[in-house]
DNA sequence: AAAAGACGCAACCGCCGGAAT
DNA sequence: GATTCCGGCGGTTGCGTCTTT
């Protein structure tokens, strides 16, 4: 990544410039690219002194040759306290965070900043990047699947070392699609118990898109999947678990048009809204009226904890320490 | 060992809405 | 009321790293 020095030229940059300094700054060079430690230090000192505001004044005071927007972005995404760091594997989204993002994306759309408020230590950029990479992966999977290759692809590097048979990487791409875009209600069944999580809603647009994908000739495989084989779920990788994918009634009716036996086989009982998956509370806002009321039975909760949580990274519990606590 | 591809991430860009003038 | 400025947000890009071939 190379450092880049440019002069202000676009309207956005000029908007950041106070009028009184416009002429002077036009002659100056604006610094872009990666931040140096010294610049971070200057920015942190400024925030410590004046608070996270008046970003433009950082340049007008001659402290940094950065736009106010750049300063704000640096602070929000990297320097702000209580962000999850990448010292070890802390940056990676936990399975719980992935589920939360998927569900909230289905509920709110691409409102990354809003979604990020539900994930302690995550920024909108984190969520956006996570979603973007997930969509890219999905697109690639769909593309590969539409090639209709009969020979299964080997596990991606994300599955390396998980002792997964390559063939298991294939379950219907549409399921990936629906999961990623919040269409499905997923029921996770273990040997001794079951729990379910309900994704918020299914829009007709999403179903239409799914139908379009189906009509484009995407190959379907007739087999269940396990968590350990989901190329889009980085963790946990729990073997010997299978999931059925029931849909909401209206989605089901549309999906029937897919005319594929897979869906008829995997559809579970409709309207199974009794066992519900609990979303974390937002950390920076409290819109209780918009939160869907969910509950998990005690047995299911304990069982899920036994089966799932032991394999989760410890930091994933950061977000559920105290749901009532809001900074 | 080298090339290609996948992936994660930081940072920039453009648009927008609200506040200030 | 119009204009300017600032900050917030979502989309996108570019680059380094890692894995696979």
């Amino acid at each position: 990544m190379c450092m880049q020095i440019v002069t202000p030229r676009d309207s956005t940059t000029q908007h950041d410039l106070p009028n009184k300094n416009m002429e002077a700054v036009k002659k100056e060079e604006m610094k872009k690219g990666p931040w140096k430690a010294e610049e971070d230090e200057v920015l942190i000192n400024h925030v410590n002194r004046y608070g996270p505001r008046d970003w433009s004044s950082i340049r007008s005071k001659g402290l940094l040759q950065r736009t106010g927007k750049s300063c704000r972005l640096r602070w929000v995404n990297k320097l702000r306290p209580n962000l999850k760091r990448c010292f070890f594997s802390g940056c990676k989204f936990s399975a719980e965070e992935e589920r939360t993002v998927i569900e909230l994306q289905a509920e709110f759309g691409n409102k990354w900043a809003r979604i990020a408020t539900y994930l302690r230590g995550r920024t909108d950029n984190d969520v956006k990047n996570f979603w973007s990479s997930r969509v890219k992966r999905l697109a690639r999977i769909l593309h590969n699947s539409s090639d209709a290759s009969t020979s299964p692809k080997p596990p991606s590097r994300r599955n390396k070392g998980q002792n997964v048979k390559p063939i298991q990487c294939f379950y219907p791409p549409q399921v990936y699609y629906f999961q990623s875009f919040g269409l499905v209600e997923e029921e996770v069944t273990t040997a001794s118990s079951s729990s379910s999580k309900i994704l918020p809603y299914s829009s007709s647009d999403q179903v239409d898109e799914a139908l379009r994908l189906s009509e484009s000739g995407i190959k379907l495989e007739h087999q269940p999947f396990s968590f350990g084989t989901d190329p889009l779920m980085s963790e946990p990788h729990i073997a010997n678990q299978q999931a059925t994918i029931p849909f909401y009634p209206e989605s089901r009716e549309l999906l029937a048009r897919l005319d594929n036996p897979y869906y008829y086989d995997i559809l579970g009982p409709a309207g199974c809204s009794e066992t519900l998956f609990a979303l974390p509370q937002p950390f920076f806002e409290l819109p209780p009226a918009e939160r869907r009321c969910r509950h998990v039975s005690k047995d299911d909760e304990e069982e899920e904890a036994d089966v799932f949580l032991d394999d989760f990274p410890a930091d994933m519990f950061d977000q559920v320490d105290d749901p009532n606590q809001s900074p």
Side-chain angles (χ1 to χ4, degrees):
Chain A
M1 198 180 291
C2 59
M3 191 70 74
Q4 191 180 2
I5 305 293
V6 301
T7 55
R9 63 179 188 281
D10 65 284
S11 60
T12 299
T13 302
Q14 293 184 7
H15 274 308
D16 291 329
L17 307 179
N19 269 340
K20 58 183 179 181
N21 293 329
M22 184 68 79
E23 290 306 314
V25 173
K26 275 181 179 176
K27 297 176 182 176
E28 296 175 7
E29 289 179 332
M30 196 60 58
K31 190 173 181 181
K32 297 169 74 174
W35 281 66
K36 291 180 177 177
E38 310 89 77
E39 293 178 299
D40 284 344
E41 191 176 343
V42 170
L43 183 54
I44 290 171
N45 288 338
H46 180 273
V47 172
N48 286 340
R49 191 167 179 179
Y50 303 104
R53 64 181 75 87
D54 297 333
W55 301 112
S56 297
S57 71
I58 296 174
R59 191 183 57 208
S60 62
K61 291 173 182 172
L63 299 176
L64 289 173
Q65 293 303 108
R66 297 274 188 176
T67 65
K69 292 174 72 168
S70 180
C71 293
R72 177 193 157 272
L73 204 65
R74 180 65 179 174
W75 172 260
V76 168
N77 288 334
K78 294 302 295 180
L79 303 178
R80 179 159 57 92
N82 302 322
L83 290 178
K84 288 196 175 180
R85 305 297 184 186
C86 296
F87 291 147
F88 300 105
S89 59
C91 271
K92 195 175 181 180
F93 271 59
S94 69
E96 191 66 29
E97 287 175 313
E98 290 189 14
R99 290 188 193 121
T100 300
V101 172
I102 291 167
E103 296 197 9
L104 292 176
Q105 197 279 341
E107 186 165 359
F108 301 141
N110 293 0
K111 300 297 180 184
W112 309 124
R114 187 174 189 180
I115 293 171
T117 65
Y118 289 78
L119 301 168
R120 178 163 292 172
R122 298 296 187 185
T123 69
D124 58 343
N125 217 30
D126 292 334
V127 177
K128 193 164 51 181
N129 284 335
F130 161 74
W131 189 261
S132 174
S133 61
R134 186 179 174 91
V135 167
K136 281 179 187 173
R137 242 181 296 163
L138 174 70
R140 190 171 43 79
I141 289 169
L142 289 173
H143 180 264
N144 289 343
S145 178
S146 65
D147 289 344
S149 168
T150 54
S151 58
K153 294 278 193 297
S156 72
R157 66 169 171 160
R158 301 302 170 202
N159 291 329
K160 186 186 176 187
Q162 292 161 18
N163 202 20
V164 173
K165 294 178 182 177
I167 186 67
Q168 291 181 306
C169 289
F170 285 79
Y171 66 88
Q174 279 87 343
V175 174
Y176 283 128
Y177 186 85
F178 293 143
Q179 282 186 306
S180 294
F181 291 89
L183 182 64
V184 302
E185 170 184 305
E186 180 183 87
E187 179 171 304
V188 179
T189 304
T190 66
S192 58
S193 68
S194 69
S195 62
S196 66
K197 51 181 181 178
I198 294 183
L199 302 188
Y201 77 106
S202 57
S203 71
S204 57
D205 287 344
Q206 289 168 339
V207 173
D208 287 342
E209 176 68 3
L211 291 170
R212 190 188 60 76
L213 285 170
S214 174
E215 288 165 3
S216 70
I218 292 170
K219 187 177 188 295
L220 296 178
E221 294 284 337
H222 187 97
Q223 63 177 264
F225 71 91
S226 74
F227 266 42
T229 62
D230 181 354
L232 295 185
M233 287 285 284
S234 57
E235 55 182 287
H237 302 281
I238 303 167
N240 302 323
Q241 291 194 343
Q242 294 183 345
T244 56
I245 318 292
F247 297 88
Y248 289 114
E250 60 272 26
S251 307
R252 201 177 287 196
E253 182 181 338
L254 286 163
L255 285 167
R257 290 163 49 193
L258 291 172
D259 195 29
N260 189 293
Y262 179 87
Y263 291 101
Y264 294 104
D265 286 353
I266 65 174
L267 292 179
C272 50
S273 58
E274 286 308 305
T275 47
L276 299 168
F277 178 78
L279 277 171
Q281 293 292 315
F283 297 107
F284 301 107
E285 60 177 353
L286 296 170
E290 299 182 23
R291 306 289 305 145
R292 286 177 301 112
C293 181
R294 297 179 170 217
H295 64 273
V296 180
S297 75
K298 190 69 179 176
D299 289 343
D300 290 341
E301 200 173 11
E302 290 172 359
E303 181 64 30
E304 187 171 37
D306 288 341
V307 174
F308 278 10
L309 303 183
D310 285 351
D311 291 343
F312 284 11
D315 64 351
M316 71 164 281
F317 297 106
D318 290 350
Q319 59 183 299
V320 294
D321 282 343
D322 185 0
N324 297 322
Q325 192 176 29
S326 181

